Amino acid sequence: MTYRWLPPEVLWALAGVMATLAAASVAVALLVARRPEQDNAELVARVRTWWVIVGLFGGAMLLSRTAALVLLAVVSLIALREYLGLIPTRRGDRGLRVLAYATVPIQYLLVATQFYDLFLILIPVYAFLALPVRAILGGETKGFVNAVATIHWGLIATVFSLSHAAYLLVFTPYASPRVEPQWPSEAATGQPGAGLLLLLVLLTQANDVAQYIWGKSFGRSKVAPTVSPGKTWAGLIGGVATTTVLAGVVGPPLTLLDVPRSLLTGLLIGVGGFFGDLSISAIKRDLGVKDTGRMLPGHGGVLDRVDSLTYTAPLFFHFMYFLY
């Protein structure tokens, strides 16, 4: 069976996510039945969409590493498309957009082939150089800086940053003599990166939920009221604390991380996820839109759902890379 590429602890973690989502679905159904006069349409839509998200992610993970990489590449492509659909455009920017889209398959091919050196510089260096060249050849100078800068920022956020999550799937830390192999089930599966990816996604999404709940329950003082009025210090502190504790519990059995490093991972993802969310909120506030798209009912667009990952994916990947 194809799911045998995954270690047992990852399979159990996926089962735990499904069980948690099932419990949430029951709780929402009871809430709707108990308070039929209350408008819970968005909450119901959110839960239904979570089933789709978890089903797609879990199904791709169970199928194969290649399927998971393809899914993550598609997520980057859709997030980039949503971003490019929001930013102001000039008549001659079509070539810039084509160039931006072309980086997606190349970046993820570099992930699949573990071409780490070029993976690190394709977008920050070569796309940075290529975009102005393409704009210059278009001959339109008005709006040049804005067009090149905004498209390159979008590439960094939606393709370069998110592709770090995909690179976790092919991450091989014990090529370095600094550490002995410690991964659970590594001898049987040879695929330790699946646990890392699942830990990243689980903690990032749990952090979003925890910050929302803490903020709604106890939030008074705003962190950045002009950017996101719903973000409070209670939500930030409570969410980071919750994510840190969760990391300390699930990190050691799921990955090679011990408890202290797991706690540090939770702290890193909690804080990073908060500012990743705020950075996309600032863009939407600047452009006067509520959501980046409508693909995910109850959530908005794909970029709305992965906004925190634009920060947590590269932070977590490089934390693991330099640690091991």
Side-chain angles (χ1 to χ4, degrees):
M1 297 183 182
T2 54
Y3 65 79
R4 288 181 181 174
W5 83 281
L6 294 174
E9 56 272 11
V10 172
L11 294 174
W12 279 110
L14 286 172
V17 171
M18 297 293 286
T20 302
L21 187 54
S25 299
V26 171
V28 170
L30 292 175
L31 176 64
V32 172
R34 182 171 297 181
R35 299 180 180 176
E37 74 285 353
Q38 186 173 320
D39 184 10
N40 293 301
E42 184 176 352
L43 180 61
V44 172
R46 276 179 172 264
V47 173
R48 287 176 179 171
T49 301
W50 268 119
W51 276 108
V52 175
I53 294 171
V54 171
L56 286 173
F57 178 76
M61 291 284 285
L62 291 171
L63 188 59
S64 68
R65 181 172 62 177
T66 300
L69 288 173
V70 169
L71 176 64
L72 293 172
V74 171
V75 168
S76 272
L77 183 65
I78 295 173
L80 176 62
R81 180 178 178 273
E82 290 179 348
Y83 173 80
L84 293 178
L86 292 177
I87 62 174
T89 59
R90 303 178 304 167
R91 186 174 54 182
D93 285 346
R94 183 180 178 187
L96 295 179
R97 291 166 177 267
V98 171
L99 183 58
Y101 286 128
T103 65
V104 179
I106 299 173
Q107 181 75 358
Y108 279 86
L109 181 60
L110 295 174
V111 172
T113 56
Q114 295 179 267
F115 202 152
Y116 179 73
D117 292 339
L118 188 52
F119 161 82
L120 275 185
I121 63 175
L122 175 70
I123 294 173
V125 177
Y126 292 113
F128 172 79
L129 298 174
L131 286 168
V133 170
R134 180 62 187 86
I136 289 167
L137 293 176
E140 189 175 352
T141 58
K142 186 175 178 57
F144 173 87
V145 173
N146 185 66
V148 171
T150 52
I151 290 178
H152 190 251
W153 192 96
L155 279 177
I156 291 290
T158 63
V159 184
F160 181 66
S161 289
L162 293 181
S163 66
H164 283 77
Y167 211 108
L168 289 171
L169 285 173
V170 297
F171 183 63
T172 51
Y174 33 90
S176 167
R178 288 179 293 170
V179 66
E180 292 296 322
Q182 307 177 47
W183 296 83
S185 308
E186 65 182 61
T189 66
Q191 300 291 348
L196 285 176
L197 175 61
L198 184 56
L199 181 66
L200 168 67
V201 174
L202 176 63
L203 292 181
T204 301
Q205 300 306 322
N207 181 58
D208 286 349
V209 173
Q211 290 190 3
Y212 175 80
I213 293 174
W214 281 97
K216 282 290 186 182
S217 302
F218 304 102
R220 296 293 182 272
S221 180
K222 312 293 184 181
V223 177
T226 59
V227 177
S228 182
K231 298 292 185 183
T232 65
W233 284 105
L236 172 58
I237 296 170
V240 170
T242 301
T243 305
T244 302
V245 172
L246 179 62
V249 173
V250 303
L254 193 57
T255 69
L256 86 169
L257 293 167
D258 56 19
V259 172
R261 291 183 176 91
S262 293
L263 293 173
L264 185 56
T265 294
L267 179 63
L268 187 71
I269 289 178
V271 176
F274 180 82
F275 287 103
D277 190 341
L278 276 183
S279 69
I280 301 302
S281 294
I283 291 174
K284 292 187 289 186
R285 181 75 61 177
D286 181 29
L287 298 175
V289 298
K290 181 178 182 294
D291 298 315
T292 62
R294 294 185 235 174
M295 183 172 285
L296 303 176
H299 296 262
V302 169
L303 185 53
D304 290 308
R305 187 65 271 145
V306 300
D307 51 6
S308 298
L309 275 172
T310 62
Y311 270 51
T312 62
L315 287 173
F316 179 60
F317 175 84
H318 290 290
F319 174 70
M320 293 301 302
Y321 184 84
F322 289 113
L323 189 63
Y324 294 102

